Amino acid sequence: GQNIDQPTEMTATEGAIVQINCTYQTSGFNGLFWYQQHAGEAPTFLSYNVLDGLEEKGRFSSFLSRSKGYSYLLLKELQMKDSASYLCAVMDSNYQLIWGAGTKLIIKP
Amino acid sequence: IAGITQAPTSQILAAGRRMTLRCTQDMRHNAMYWYRQDLGLGLRLIHYSNTAGTTGKGEVPDGYSVSRANTDDFPLTLASAVPSQTSVYFCASSTSGRDTQYFGPGTRLTVL
């Protein structure tokens, strides 16, 4: 079967750095996506990785290792507004997104 | 309109009633999707459409139907609602069906 695993909840301090991990087992691989979802709102696109390595976009970076079935999202200089759920999703061989349950990130002052 | 809109925002429905959730996008995206999101679970695909006139079943299609008469609209119908269909429903779209998906604001549906 297809499976995406990510931690249920993480806590970090304002101004710090946090890494959210995602491991996956899917039927085929056509890219990995990270989305941010604030409570009561829609998911919004953060990043896309299809090749191994690090993609940097401002305070957010995303890393992919296809051989290990592993990705992480790195958030730097945490702000209170970063409190949200972070969703990892893999596009499988049928170009359908398989979603993890999401990681709820709590930022403390 | 900018992006994807969904209606209604929320709805309370008696079991057994028929309900249509509306989704409209103005980005001329070819592909559209319906997901449901339940606490503790990842988004689950209900139905999708890669282009106007075609539809396909996702992971959890039972009890739901869709149509894609034109590029912009992708309504989701619950023929006879059951309490297990209580969920938040998101519509999404993408340019080609092989790229980033963009989400509407969601519909919160409660079936009693």
Side-chain angles (χ1 to χ4, degrees):
Chain A
Q2 306 200 93
N3 195 49
I4 310 285
D5 286 319
Q6 49 182 134
T8 301
E9 187 174 295
M10 299 181 71
T11 301
T13 304
E14 190 177 17
I17 299 173
V18 71
Q19 178 175 310
I20 302 173
N21 295 325
C22 171
T23 58
Y24 63 89
Q25 290 179 306
T26 56
S27 301
F29 180 85
N30 281 300
L32 185 143
F33 296 79
W34 284 96
Y35 282 77
Q36 181 189 60
Q37 185 177 26
H38 285 101
E41 297 183 6
T44 56
F45 169 72
L46 285 178
S47 69
Y48 169 70
N49 294 70
V50 66
L51 300 176
D52 289 353
L54 188 69
E55 293 281 343
E56 298 186 81
K57 193 184 292 186
R59 294 189 298 115
F60 292 10
S61 302
S62 56
F63 171 83
L64 174 67
S65 169
R66 288 173 296 171
S67 62
K68 295 182 179 178
Y70 168 69
S71 172
Y72 67 73
L73 181 69
L74 191 72
L75 291 72
K76 302 177 185 176
E77 301 169 13
L78 286 169
Q79 302 174 11
M80 297 303 293
K81 68 179 182 179
D82 298 329
S83 292
S85 289
Y86 292 85
L87 314 181
C88 174
V90 172
M91 185 164 280
D92 70 9
S93 57
N94 294 318
Y95 295 95
Q96 290 191 359
L97 282 179
I98 310 301
W99 295 82
T103 298
K104 182 177 181 180
L105 179 63
I106 299 168
I107 309 296
K108 295 187 174 179
Chain B
I1 299 177
I4 303 179
T5 58
Q6 294 185 234
T9 301
S10 65
Q11 182 76 43
I12 298 174
L13 191 66
R17 297 297 295 269
R18 181 183 179 89
M19 176 73 191
T20 295
L21 307 185
R22 299 184 298 280
C23 174
T24 299
Q25 54 102 1
D26 66 353
M27 298 179 285
R28 309 304 293 172
H29 283 177
N30 286 313
M32 297 186 75
Y33 312 85
W34 274 106
Y35 291 94
R36 60 177 290 173
Q37 187 175 41
D38 302 290
L39 199 63
L41 299 177
L43 288 159
R44 291 183 292 170
L45 183 65
I46 304 170
H47 285 286
Y48 65 94
S49 169
N50 286 328
T51 190
T54 68
T55 62
K57 294 181 179 180
E59 179 186 356
V60 289
D62 293 345
Y64 306 95
S65 63
V66 292
S67 62
R68 186 89 185 276
N70 57 60
T71 298
D72 298 346
D73 301 299
F74 191 44
L76 176 73
T77 297
L78 289 68
S80 178
V82 295
S84 61
Q85 293 177 312
T86 293
S87 188
V88 180
Y89 291 85
F90 287 104
C91 180
S93 71
S94 70
T95 305
S96 69
R98 299 184 175 194
D99 55 350
T100 304
Q101 295 181 14
Y102 297 93
F103 285 78
T107 293
R108 183 173 295 275
L109 182 67
T110 302
V111 182
L112 301 175

